Amino acid sequence: MADDAGALEKRIIELELKTAYADDLLDRLNQTVFRQQQQIEGLARALAGLRQQQAPEGPAGARNPADERPPHY
């Protein structure tokens, strides 16, 4: 009986350790996902700003060809 109790206690301790490691890993993964979401939102805002800068000007997106000079000028 003493061996059974000792084996059971050993299994419980191992399970508690595994649970603690799993909890720690879950916390770290949640932090990583949170940081990545912040980066994604920042990149989306930057992309929206770039799209706004590149938006065609004037009615129907008309551009003035004089504004687009060839590189040799």
Side-chain angles (χ1 to χ4, degrees):
M1 279 263 177
D3 289 337
D4 289 340
L8 182 60
E9 184 177 348
K10 184 178 178 181
R11 285 185 62 196
I12 290 173
I13 290 172
E14 288 176 3
L15 289 172
E16 287 175 341
L17 286 172
K18 286 182 180 182
T19 302
Y21 284 125
D23 285 344
D24 182 58
L25 177 62
L26 183 61
D27 287 341
R28 287 187 283 139
L29 288 172
N30 281 334
Q31 291 172 1
T32 300
V33 169
F34 177 75
R35 283 193 306 270
Q36 287 178 341
Q37 184 61 38
Q38 287 180 320
Q39 289 175 339
I40 289 169
E41 289 170 359
L43 291 170
R45 284 191 298 273
L47 180 61
L50 290 173
R51 284 184 175 157
Q52 187 176 7
Q53 289 176 3
Q54 294 295 320
E57 298 176 9
R63 290 186 176 199
N64 185 355
D67 291 340
E68 298 178 13
R69 299 195 184 268
H72 62 276
Y73 280 166

